[in-house]
Amino acid sequence: MEEAKGLVRRVHLVKFKDGTPPARIEEILKNYANLVNLIEPLKSWHMGKNVSIMNLDQGFTHVFEVTFESAEGLAEYADHPIHTEFSKQTRPHLDKVIVITYELTVFCT
Amino acid sequence: MEEAKGLVRRVHLVKFKDGTPPARIEEILKNYANLVNLIEPLKSWHMGKNVSIMNLDQGFTHVFEVTFESAEGLAEYADHPIHTEFSKQTRPHLDKVIVITYELTVFCT
Protein backbone atom coordinates (compact mmCIF):
# COMPACT_ATOMS: atom_id res chain seq x y z
CA MET A 1 0.00 0.00 0.00
CA GLU A 2 1.40 3.35 -0.94
CA GLU A 3 1.47 6.05 1.68
CA ALA A 4 2.22 9.64 0.77
CA LYS A 5 4.07 11.68 3.36
CA GLY A 6 2.42 14.93 2.31
CA LEU A 7 5.64 16.42 0.99
CA VAL A 8 6.15 17.44 -2.60
CA ARG A 9 9.65 17.29 -4.02
CA ARG A 10 11.07 18.51 -7.27
CA VAL A 11 14.36 17.04 -8.36
CA HIS A 12 16.50 18.61 -11.08
CA LEU A 13 19.28 16.77 -12.86
CA VAL A 14 21.59 19.34 -14.39
CA LYS A 15 24.61 19.44 -16.65
CA PHE A 16 26.27 22.83 -16.81
CA LYS A 17 27.63 23.89 -20.17
CA ASP A 18 31.27 23.06 -20.72
CA GLY A 19 33.22 26.24 -20.23
CA THR A 20 31.00 27.69 -17.53
CA PRO A 21 33.51 29.30 -15.16
CA PRO A 22 33.67 27.44 -11.82
CA ALA A 23 33.18 30.77 -10.03
CA ARG A 24 29.91 31.27 -11.94
CA ILE A 25 28.73 27.78 -11.00
CA GLU A 26 29.65 28.50 -7.38
CA GLU A 27 27.65 31.73 -7.52
CA ILE A 28 24.63 29.91 -8.97
CA LEU A 29 24.79 27.29 -6.20
CA LYS A 30 24.99 30.02 -3.57
CA ASN A 31 22.06 31.95 -5.03
CA TYR A 32 20.02 28.78 -5.46
CA ALA A 33 20.63 27.68 -1.86
CA ASN A 34 19.68 31.14 -0.66
CA LEU A 35 16.16 30.82 -2.12
CA VAL A 36 15.27 28.82 1.00
CA ASN A 37 15.74 32.05 2.97
CA LEU A 38 13.74 34.17 0.55
CA ILE A 39 10.74 32.08 -0.53
CA GLU A 40 8.69 30.88 2.41
CA PRO A 41 7.06 27.77 0.91
CA LEU A 42 10.48 26.32 0.02
CA LYS A 43 11.08 24.16 3.09
CA SER A 44 14.33 22.44 2.23
CA TRP A 45 17.04 22.56 -0.39
CA HIS A 46 19.79 20.05 -1.03
CA MET A 47 22.27 19.51 -3.77
CA GLY A 48 24.88 16.97 -4.69
CA LYS A 49 27.55 16.45 -7.28
CA ASN A 50 27.30 13.22 -9.20
CA VAL A 51 29.92 10.66 -8.17
CA SER A 52 28.26 7.64 -9.72
CA ILE A 53 30.53 5.14 -11.46
CA MET A 54 27.63 3.19 -12.97
CA ASN A 55 27.77 4.99 -16.30
CA LEU A 56 24.02 5.52 -16.19
CA ASP A 57 24.19 9.26 -15.49
CA GLN A 58 23.97 10.58 -19.07
CA GLY A 59 26.56 13.19 -18.18
CA PHE A 60 24.49 14.97 -15.55
CA THR A 61 26.80 16.60 -13.03
CA HIS A 62 24.51 17.99 -10.31
CA VAL A 63 21.29 17.07 -8.53
CA PHE A 64 19.10 19.66 -6.82
CA GLU A 65 16.21 18.78 -4.51
CA VAL A 66 13.62 21.34 -3.47
CA THR A 67 10.92 20.22 -1.05
CA PHE A 68 7.55 21.71 -0.16
CA GLU A 69 4.71 20.92 2.20
CA SER A 70 2.13 20.92 -0.58
CA ALA A 71 1.57 21.27 -4.30
CA GLU A 72 0.29 24.77 -3.56
CA GLY A 73 3.61 25.62 -1.92
CA LEU A 74 5.47 24.42 -4.99
CA ALA A 75 3.20 26.48 -7.24
CA GLU A 76 3.78 29.57 -5.14
CA TYR A 77 7.56 29.00 -5.29
CA ALA A 78 7.53 28.34 -9.03
CA ASP A 79 5.70 31.61 -9.73
CA HIS A 80 7.64 33.68 -7.21
CA PRO A 81 9.46 36.57 -8.91
CA ILE A 82 12.72 35.79 -7.09
CA HIS A 83 12.60 32.22 -8.39
CA THR A 84 11.67 33.38 -11.86
CA GLU A 85 14.63 35.76 -11.91
CA PHE A 86 16.99 33.05 -10.61
CA SER A 87 15.83 30.67 -13.36
CA LYS A 88 16.27 33.32 -16.02
CA GLN A 89 19.85 34.03 -14.87
CA THR A 90 20.74 30.34 -14.64
CA ARG A 91 19.19 28.80 -17.74
CA PRO A 92 21.80 30.11 -20.22
CA HIS A 93 24.48 28.13 -18.36
CA LEU A 94 22.70 24.79 -18.58
CA ASP A 95 23.60 22.25 -21.21
CA LYS A 96 20.69 20.02 -20.22
CA VAL A 97 18.21 19.53 -17.44
CA ILE A 98 15.59 16.99 -16.38
CA VAL A 99 12.91 18.01 -13.90
CA ILE A 100 10.69 15.54 -12.07
CA THR A 101 8.06 16.48 -9.51
CA TYR A 102 6.63 13.93 -7.13
CA GLU A 103 4.86 13.41 -3.89
CA LEU A 104 7.32 11.80 -1.50
CA THR A 105 5.94 8.34 -0.88
CA VAL A 106 6.78 5.25 1.11
CA PHE A 107 5.39 1.84 0.30
CA CYS A 108 4.05 -0.03 3.28
CA THR A 109 3.83 -3.78 2.97
CA MET B 1 30.67 27.25 1.43
CA GLU B 2 29.49 23.74 0.77
CA GLU B 3 28.75 21.52 3.71
CA ALA B 4 28.16 17.81 3.29
CA LYS B 5 25.71 16.21 5.66
CA GLY B 6 27.50 12.85 5.61
CA LEU B 7 24.66 11.09 3.83
CA VAL B 8 25.01 9.47 0.44
CA ARG B 9 21.97 9.29 -1.79
CA ARG B 10 21.36 7.49 -5.03
CA VAL B 11 18.46 8.69 -7.13
CA HIS B 12 17.02 6.63 -9.98
CA LEU B 13 14.78 8.08 -12.66
CA VAL B 14 12.86 5.24 -14.24
CA LYS B 15 10.49 4.69 -17.11
CA PHE B 16 8.83 1.31 -17.10
CA LYS B 17 8.31 -0.36 -20.45
CA ASP B 18 4.94 0.29 -22.00
CA GLY B 19 2.84 -2.78 -21.47
CA THR B 20 4.32 -3.71 -18.10
CA PRO B 21 1.27 -4.96 -16.18
CA PRO B 22 0.36 -2.57 -13.35
CA ALA B 23 0.33 -5.51 -10.95
CA ARG B 24 3.95 -6.28 -11.90
CA ILE B 25 4.95 -2.65 -11.30
CA GLU B 26 3.16 -2.75 -7.94
CA GLU B 27 5.06 -5.93 -7.04
CA ILE B 28 8.37 -4.31 -8.01
CA LEU B 29 7.61 -1.25 -5.84
CA LYS B 30 6.70 -3.50 -2.92
CA ASN B 31 9.86 -5.59 -3.27
CA TYR B 32 12.01 -2.50 -3.71
CA ALA B 33 10.58 -0.81 -0.62
CA ASN B 34 11.13 -3.98 1.35
CA LEU B 35 14.90 -3.85 0.77
CA VAL B 36 15.04 -1.32 3.61
CA ASN B 37 14.05 -4.18 5.94
CA LEU B 38 16.52 -6.64 4.46
CA ILE B 39 19.73 -4.71 3.81
CA GLU B 40 21.04 -2.98 6.90
CA PRO B 41 23.06 -0.13 5.33
CA LEU B 42 19.98 1.07 3.41
CA LYS B 43 18.71 3.71 5.83
CA SER B 44 15.79 5.19 3.92
CA TRP B 45 13.79 4.56 0.79
CA HIS B 46 11.36 6.88 -0.93
CA MET B 47 9.63 6.90 -4.23
CA GLY B 48 7.38 9.19 -6.18
CA LYS B 49 5.42 9.20 -9.40
CA ASN B 50 6.20 12.05 -11.72
CA VAL B 51 3.46 14.68 -11.82
CA SER B 52 5.52 17.44 -13.41
CA ILE B 53 3.80 19.54 -16.02
CA MET B 54 7.01 21.28 -17.10
CA ASN B 55 7.65 18.93 -20.03
CA LEU B 56 11.25 18.51 -18.90
CA ASP B 57 10.82 14.93 -17.65
CA GLN B 58 11.89 13.04 -20.78
CA GLY B 59 9.09 10.55 -20.13
CA PHE B 60 10.43 9.29 -16.81
CA THR B 61 7.55 8.04 -14.67
CA HIS B 62 9.08 7.21 -11.29
CA VAL B 63 11.79 8.50 -8.96
CA PHE B 64 13.43 6.29 -6.35
CA GLU B 65 15.69 7.62 -3.60
CA VAL B 66 17.89 5.32 -1.53
CA THR B 67 19.94 6.89 1.24
CA PHE B 68 22.97 5.64 3.17
CA GLU B 69 25.17 6.88 5.98
CA SER B 70 28.34 6.47 3.94
CA ALA B 71 29.79 5.49 0.59
CA GLU B 72 30.78 2.19 2.20
CA GLY B 73 27.14 1.58 3.11
CA LEU B 74 26.10 2.19 -0.48
CA ALA B 75 28.79 -0.17 -1.74
CA GLU B 76 27.66 -2.87 0.67
CA TYR B 77 24.05 -2.42 -0.50
CA ALA B 78 25.00 -2.41 -4.16
CA ASP B 79 26.85 -5.70 -3.84
CA HIS B 80 24.34 -7.35 -1.55
CA PRO B 81 22.93 -10.54 -3.14
CA ILE B 82 19.33 -9.53 -2.30
CA HIS B 83 19.84 -6.23 -4.13
CA THR B 84 21.57 -7.94 -7.03
CA GLU B 85 18.66 -10.37 -7.39
CA PHE B 86 16.11 -7.52 -7.17
CA SER B 87 17.96 -5.62 -9.92
CA LYS B 88 18.11 -8.69 -12.13
CA GLN B 89 14.34 -9.27 -11.78
CA THR B 90 13.50 -5.62 -12.40
CA ARG B 91 15.81 -4.60 -15.24
CA PRO B 92 13.85 -6.36 -18.02
CA HIS B 93 10.83 -4.15 -17.23
CA LEU B 94 12.70 -0.85 -17.58
CA ASP B 95 12.50 1.17 -20.75
CA LYS B 96 15.14 3.61 -19.49
CA VAL B 97 16.88 4.62 -16.30
CA ILE B 98 19.22 7.35 -15.08
CA VAL B 99 21.20 6.82 -11.90
CA ILE B 100 22.96 9.62 -10.03
CA THR B 101 24.86 9.17 -6.79
CA TYR B 102 25.73 12.14 -4.60
CA GLU B 103 26.67 13.26 -1.16
CA LEU B 104 23.73 15.19 0.24
CA THR B 105 24.99 18.74 0.57
CA VAL B 106 23.76 22.10 1.75
CA PHE B 107 25.34 25.35 0.75
CA CYS B 108 25.98 27.74 3.61
CA THR B 109 26.28 31.37 2.69
Side-chain angles (χ1 to χ4, degrees):
Chain A
M1 193 188 77
E2 292 171 37
E3 187 179 295
K5 292 168 72 85
L7 297 173
V8 173
R9 179 167 287 168
R10 178 169 280 177
V11 65
H12 301 72
L13 273 48
V14 163
K15 180 182 185 302
F16 285 100
K17 281 182 184 163
D18 293 339
T20 308
R24 183 70 186 104
I25 294 178
E26 196 81 347
E27 188 186 17
I28 287 169
L29 300 186
K30 198 173 94 175
N31 291 340
Y32 199 178
N34 196 40
L35 295 187
V36 83
N37 301 313
L38 301 173
I39 305 180
E40 197 278 328
L42 174 56
K43 297 303 181 190
S44 87
W45 181 96
H46 290 103
M47 61 153 281
K49 293 178 189 168
N50 180 37
V51 295
S52 182
I53 52 169
M54 292 177 74
N55 206 24
L56 289 170
D57 56 35
Q58 293 190 12
F60 288 100
T61 54
H62 291 70
V63 176
F64 300 98
E65 303 172 358
V66 286
T67 308
F68 307 86
E69 285 174 352
S70 66
E72 291 73 23
L74 168 57
E76 192 181 330
Y77 163 84
D79 290 339
H80 196 290
I82 294 176
H83 174 256
T84 307
E85 181 61 24
F86 169 76
S87 299
K88 192 176 136 193
Q89 298 290 332
T90 304
R91 205 171 299 123
H93 299 291
L94 303 184
D95 183 359
K96 56 181 184 173
V97 61
I98 295 181
V99 182
I100 308 276
T101 305
Y102 53 105
E103 198 173 358
L104 213 58
T105 305
V106 292
F107 202 95
C108 307
T109 51
Chain B
M1 193 188 76
E2 292 170 37
E3 186 179 297
K5 292 169 71 85
L7 297 174
V8 173
R9 180 167 287 168
R10 178 169 281 177
V11 65
H12 302 71
L13 272 49
V14 164
K15 180 182 186 302
F16 285 99
K17 281 182 185 164
D18 293 339
T20 308
R24 182 71 186 102
I25 293 178
E26 196 81 350
E27 189 185 17
I28 288 169
L29 300 185
K30 198 173 94 176
N31 291 340
Y32 199 177
N34 196 40
L35 295 187
V36 84
N37 301 314
L38 301 174
I39 305 180
E40 197 277 330
L42 174 56
K43 297 303 181 188
S44 87
W45 181 97
H46 291 103
M47 61 153 280
K49 294 177 188 170
N50 180 37
V51 295
S52 182
I53 52 169
M54 292 177 74
N55 206 23
L56 289 171
D57 55 34
Q58 293 190 10
F60 288 100
T61 54
H62 292 71
V63 176
F64 300 97
E65 302 173 359
V66 286
T67 308
F68 308 86
E69 285 174 351
S70 65
E72 292 72 23
L74 168 58
E76 191 181 331
Y77 163 84
D79 290 339
H80 195 291
I82 294 175
H83 174 257
T84 307
E85 180 62 25
F86 169 76
S87 298
K88 192 176 135 193
Q89 298 289 333
T90 304
R91 205 169 300 124
H93 299 291
L94 303 185
D95 182 359
K96 56 182 184 172
V97 62
I98 294 181
V99 182
I100 309 276
T101 305
Y102 53 106
E103 197 171 1
L104 214 58
T105 306
V106 293
F107 201 95
C108 308
T109 52

mmCIF file of all heavy atoms in Angstrom, chain A residues 85-109:
data_model
loop_
_atom_site.group_PDB
_atom_site.id
_atom_site.type_symbol
_atom_site.label_atom_id
_atom_site.label_comp_id
_atom_site.label_asym_id
_atom_site.label_seq_id
_atom_site.Cartn_x
_atom_site.Cartn_y
_atom_site.Cartn_z
ATOM 1 N N GLU A 85 13.399 35.045 -11.561
ATOM 2 C CA GLU A 85 14.628 35.757 -11.915
ATOM 3 C C GLU A 85 15.838 34.835 -11.818
ATOM 4 O O GLU A 85 16.712 34.847 -12.701
ATOM 5 C CB GLU A 85 14.800 36.974 -10.983
ATOM 6 C CG GLU A 85 16.038 37.817 -11.256
ATOM 7 C CD GLU A 85 16.082 38.424 -12.658
ATOM 8 O OE1 GLU A 85 15.007 38.605 -13.268
ATOM 9 O OE2 GLU A 85 17.197 38.699 -13.155
ATOM 10 N N PHE A 86 15.882 34.007 -10.758
ATOM 11 C CA PHE A 86 16.991 33.053 -10.611
ATOM 12 C C PHE A 86 17.040 32.113 -11.826
ATOM 13 O O PHE A 86 18.113 31.859 -12.391
ATOM 14 C CB PHE A 86 16.844 32.253 -9.305
ATOM 15 C CG PHE A 86 17.788 31.099 -9.242
ATOM 16 C CD1 PHE A 86 19.138 31.298 -8.960
ATOM 17 C CD2 PHE A 86 17.353 29.806 -9.512
ATOM 18 C CE1 PHE A 86 20.031 30.237 -8.939
ATOM 19 C CE2 PHE A 86 18.239 28.743 -9.494
ATOM 20 C CZ PHE A 86 19.577 28.962 -9.211
ATOM 21 N N SER A 87 15.884 31.596 -12.219
ATOM 22 C CA SER A 87 15.832 30.666 -13.363
ATOM 23 C C SER A 87 16.317 31.341 -14.634
ATOM 24 O O SER A 87 17.067 30.743 -15.421
ATOM 25 C CB SER A 87 14.396 30.172 -13.581
ATOM 26 O OG SER A 87 13.945 29.483 -12.444
ATOM 27 N N LYS A 88 15.897 32.573 -14.807
ATOM 28 C CA LYS A 88 16.273 33.322 -16.018
ATOM 29 C C LYS A 88 17.792 33.528 -16.084
ATOM 30 O O LYS A 88 18.413 33.409 -17.144
ATOM 31 C CB LYS A 88 15.543 34.678 -15.990
ATOM 32 C CG LYS A 88 15.581 35.448 -17.277
ATOM 33 C CD LYS A 88 14.740 36.715 -17.141
ATOM 34 C CE LYS A 88 15.469 37.910 -17.727
ATOM 35 N NZ LYS A 88 14.851 39.188 -17.347
ATOM 36 N N GLN A 89 18.398 33.809 -14.930
ATOM 37 C CA GLN A 89 19.847 34.032 -14.875
ATOM 38 C C GLN A 89 20.630 32.732 -15.082
ATOM 39 O O GLN A 89 21.766 32.757 -15.569
ATOM 40 C CB GLN A 89 20.245 34.614 -13.503
ATOM 41 C CG GLN A 89 19.643 35.964 -13.181
ATOM 42 C CD GLN A 89 20.235 37.091 -14.032
ATOM 43 O OE1 GLN A 89 21.360 37.008 -14.469
ATOM 44 N NE2 GLN A 89 19.438 38.115 -14.288
ATOM 45 N N THR A 90 20.017 31.608 -14.671
ATOM 46 C CA THR A 90 20.741 30.338 -14.643
ATOM 47 C C THR A 90 20.637 29.579 -15.959
ATOM 48 O O THR A 90 21.601 28.936 -16.406
ATOM 49 C CB THR A 90 20.201 29.462 -13.489
ATOM 50 O OG1 THR A 90 20.325 30.208 -12.276
ATOM 51 C CG2 THR A 90 20.971 28.164 -13.367
ATOM 52 N N ARG A 91 19.486 29.648 -16.580
ATOM 53 C CA ARG A 91 19.192 28.801 -17.745
ATOM 54 C C ARG A 91 20.261 28.861 -18.837
ATOM 55 O O ARG A 91 20.619 27.828 -19.398
ATOM 56 C CB ARG A 91 17.795 29.138 -18.293
ATOM 57 C CG ARG A 91 17.164 27.982 -19.052
ATOM 58 C CD ARG A 91 15.714 28.259 -19.380
ATOM 59 N NE ARG A 91 14.893 28.456 -18.198
ATOM 60 C CZ ARG A 91 14.157 29.546 -17.952
ATOM 61 N NH1 ARG A 91 14.141 30.548 -18.802
ATOM 62 N NH2 ARG A 91 13.422 29.631 -16.849
ATOM 63 N N PRO A 92 20.806 30.054 -19.138
ATOM 64 C CA PRO A 92 21.804 30.114 -20.222
ATOM 65 C C PRO A 92 23.052 29.280 -19.948
ATOM 66 O O PRO A 92 23.804 28.993 -20.891
ATOM 67 C CB PRO A 92 22.156 31.612 -20.281
ATOM 68 C CG PRO A 92 21.000 32.321 -19.670
ATOM 69 C CD PRO A 92 20.460 31.390 -18.627
ATOM 70 N N HIS A 93 23.269 28.891 -18.697
ATOM 71 C CA HIS A 93 24.478 28.127 -18.358
ATOM 72 C C HIS A 93 24.248 26.619 -18.372
ATOM 73 O O HIS A 93 25.175 25.852 -18.117
ATOM 74 C CB HIS A 93 24.996 28.555 -16.980
ATOM 75 C CG HIS A 93 25.376 29.999 -16.916
ATOM 76 N ND1 HIS A 93 26.466 30.502 -17.578
ATOM 77 C CD2 HIS A 93 24.776 31.058 -16.312
ATOM 78 C CE1 HIS A 93 26.538 31.809 -17.376
ATOM 79 N NE2 HIS A 93 25.522 32.168 -16.616
ATOM 80 N N LEU A 94 23.015 26.213 -18.656
ATOM 81 C CA LEU A 94 22.695 24.785 -18.581
ATOM 82 C C LEU A 94 22.791 24.129 -19.952
ATOM 83 O O LEU A 94 22.198 24.600 -20.921
ATOM 84 C CB LEU A 94 21.289 24.582 -18.010
ATOM 85 C CG LEU A 94 21.032 25.201 -16.629
ATOM 86 C CD1 LEU A 94 19.636 24.835 -16.148
ATOM 87 C CD2 LEU A 94 22.086 24.765 -15.631
ATOM 88 N N ASP A 95 23.542 23.053 -20.003
ATOM 89 C CA ASP A 95 23.604 22.249 -21.210
ATOM 90 C C ASP A 95 22.336 21.416 -21.335
ATOM 91 O O ASP A 95 21.701 21.366 -22.384
ATOM 92 C CB ASP A 95 24.847 21.358 -21.122
ATOM 93 C CG ASP A 95 25.043 20.520 -22.363
ATOM 94 O OD1 ASP A 95 24.207 20.604 -23.280
ATOM 95 O OD2 ASP A 95 26.031 19.765 -22.411
ATOM 96 N N LYS A 96 21.946 20.761 -20.223
ATOM 97 C CA LYS A 96 20.687 20.017 -20.220
ATOM 98 C C LYS A 96 20.167 19.873 -18.808
ATOM 99 O O LYS A 96 20.912 19.999 -17.832
ATOM 100 C CB LYS A 96 20.839 18.655 -20.899
ATOM 101 C CG LYS A 96 21.924 17.759 -20.330
ATOM 102 C CD LYS A 96 21.988 16.452 -21.115
ATOM 103 C CE LYS A 96 23.004 15.497 -20.497
ATOM 104 N NZ LYS A 96 22.973 14.175 -21.113
ATOM 105 N N VAL A 97 18.870 19.618 -18.740
ATOM 106 C CA VAL A 97 18.210 19.526 -17.438
ATOM 107 C C VAL A 97 17.017 18.574 -17.554
ATOM 108 O O VAL A 97 16.351 18.528 -18.588
ATOM 109 C CB VAL A 97 17.758 20.928 -16.952
ATOM 110 C CG1 VAL A 97 16.757 21.558 -17.896
ATOM 111 C CG2 VAL A 97 17.206 20.901 -15.541
ATOM 112 N N ILE A 98 16.818 17.787 -16.517
ATOM 113 C CA ILE A 98 15.593 16.994 -16.379
ATOM 114 C C ILE A 98 14.950 17.418 -15.068
ATOM 115 O O ILE A 98 15.630 17.567 -14.048
ATOM 116 C CB ILE A 98 15.877 15.477 -16.338
ATOM 117 C CG1 ILE A 98 16.458 14.998 -17.671
ATOM 118 C CG2 ILE A 98 14.607 14.683 -16.015
ATOM 119 C CD1 ILE A 98 16.750 13.495 -17.706
ATOM 120 N N VAL A 99 13.650 17.609 -15.104
ATOM 121 C CA VAL A 99 12.914 18.013 -13.903
ATOM 122 C C VAL A 99 11.779 17.023 -13.664
ATOM 123 O O VAL A 99 10.967 16.778 -14.562
ATOM 124 C CB VAL A 99 12.319 19.429 -14.051
ATOM 125 C CG1 VAL A 99 11.611 19.834 -12.761
ATOM 126 C CG2 VAL A 99 13.402 20.438 -14.399
ATOM 127 N N ILE A 100 11.757 16.464 -12.468
ATOM 128 C CA ILE A 100 10.693 15.538 -12.074
ATOM 129 C C ILE A 100 10.089 16.059 -10.778
ATOM 130 O O ILE A 100 10.805 16.450 -9.863
ATOM 131 C CB ILE A 100 11.245 14.114 -11.810
ATOM 132 C CG1 ILE A 100 12.092 13.614 -12.980
ATOM 133 C CG2 ILE A 100 10.123 13.144 -11.467
ATOM 134 C CD1 ILE A 100 11.349 13.003 -14.109
ATOM 135 N N THR A 101 8.774 16.052 -10.719
ATOM 136 C CA THR A 101 8.064 16.482 -9.514
ATOM 137 C C THR A 101 7.271 15.305 -8.977
ATOM 138 O O THR A 101 6.614 14.608 -9.748
ATOM 139 C CB THR A 101 7.095 17.636 -9.850
ATOM 140 O OG1 THR A 101 7.828 18.687 -10.485
ATOM 141 C CG2 THR A 101 6.427 18.174 -8.595
ATOM 142 N N TYR A 102 7.329 15.095 -7.671
ATOM 143 C CA TYR A 102 6.628 13.928 -7.131
ATOM 144 C C TYR A 102 6.276 14.134 -5.677
ATOM 145 O O TYR A 102 6.917 14.906 -4.966
ATOM 146 C CB TYR A 102 7.469 12.660 -7.286
ATOM 147 C CG TYR A 102 8.875 12.725 -6.751
ATOM 148 C CD1 TYR A 102 9.233 12.101 -5.565
ATOM 149 C CD2 TYR A 102 9.877 13.421 -7.434
ATOM 150 C CE1 TYR A 102 10.532 12.147 -5.080
ATOM 151 C CE2 TYR A 102 11.163 13.476 -6.969
ATOM 152 C CZ TYR A 102 11.496 12.852 -5.795
ATOM 153 O OH TYR A 102 12.774 12.909 -5.310
ATOM 154 N N GLU A 103 5.220 13.432 -5.295
ATOM 155 C CA GLU A 103 4.861 13.405 -3.887
ATOM 156 C C GLU A 103 5.699 12.330 -3.222
ATOM 157 O O GLU A 103 5.728 11.183 -3.688
ATOM 158 C CB GLU A 103 3.362 13.097 -3.755
ATOM 159 C CG GLU A 103 2.810 13.467 -2.415
ATOM 160 C CD GLU A 103 1.284 13.312 -2.380
ATOM 161 O OE1 GLU A 103 0.681 12.954 -3.416
ATOM 162 O OE2 GLU A 103 0.706 13.559 -1.331
ATOM 163 N N LEU A 104 6.412 12.714 -2.183
ATOM 164 C CA LEU A 104 7.315 11.800 -1.503
ATOM 165 C C LEU A 104 6.509 10.682 -0.844
ATOM 166 O O LEU A 104 5.619 10.948 -0.031
ATOM 167 C CB LEU A 104 8.098 12.587 -0.450
ATOM 168 C CG LEU A 104 9.528 12.167 -0.158
ATOM 169 C CD1 LEU A 104 10.387 12.224 -1.405
ATOM 170 C CD2 LEU A 104 10.109 13.075 0.922
ATOM 171 N N THR A 105 6.811 9.451 -1.229
ATOM 172 C CA THR A 105 5.940 8.336 -0.885
ATOM 173 C C THR A 105 6.758 7.173 -0.331
ATOM 174 O O THR A 105 7.850 6.897 -0.808
ATOM 175 C CB THR A 105 5.194 7.865 -2.167
ATOM 176 O OG1 THR A 105 4.521 8.983 -2.727
ATOM 177 C CG2 THR A 105 4.201 6.762 -1.874
ATOM 178 N N VAL A 106 6.215 6.529 0.671
ATOM 179 C CA VAL A 106 6.778 5.254 1.112
ATOM 180 C C VAL A 106 5.806 4.158 0.680
ATOM 181 O O VAL A 106 4.687 4.436 0.256
ATOM 182 C CB VAL A 106 7.007 5.207 2.642
ATOM 183 C CG1 VAL A 106 8.121 6.159 3.038
ATOM 184 C CG2 VAL A 106 5.743 5.530 3.409
ATOM 185 N N PHE A 107 6.241 2.944 0.755
ATOM 186 C CA PHE A 107 5.394 1.839 0.301
ATOM 187 C C PHE A 107 5.329 0.860 1.458
ATOM 188 O O PHE A 107 6.313 0.201 1.776
ATOM 189 C CB PHE A 107 6.019 1.190 -0.936
ATOM 190 C CG PHE A 107 5.036 0.435 -1.759
ATOM 191 C CD1 PHE A 107 4.414 1.030 -2.845
ATOM 192 C CD2 PHE A 107 4.724 -0.866 -1.437
ATOM 193 C CE1 PHE A 107 3.490 0.335 -3.606
ATOM 194 C CE2 PHE A 107 3.798 -1.576 -2.188
ATOM 195 C CZ PHE A 107 3.195 -0.977 -3.278
ATOM 196 N N CYS A 108 4.173 0.808 2.093
ATOM 197 C CA CYS A 108 4.046 -0.032 3.284
ATOM 198 C C CYS A 108 3.532 -1.402 2.893
ATOM 199 O O CYS A 108 2.521 -1.507 2.202
ATOM 200 C CB CYS A 108 3.058 0.608 4.264
ATOM 201 S SG CYS A 108 3.480 2.310 4.627
ATOM 202 N N THR A 109 4.240 -2.420 3.337
ATOM 203 C CA THR A 109 3.827 -3.780 2.969
ATOM 204 C C THR A 109 2.962 -4.370 4.085
ATOM 205 O O THR A 109 2.878 -3.818 5.170
ATOM 206 C CB THR A 109 5.054 -4.673 2.743
ATOM 207 O OG1 THR A 109 5.918 -4.548 3.880
ATOM 208 C CG2 THR A 109 5.791 -4.206 1.519
#
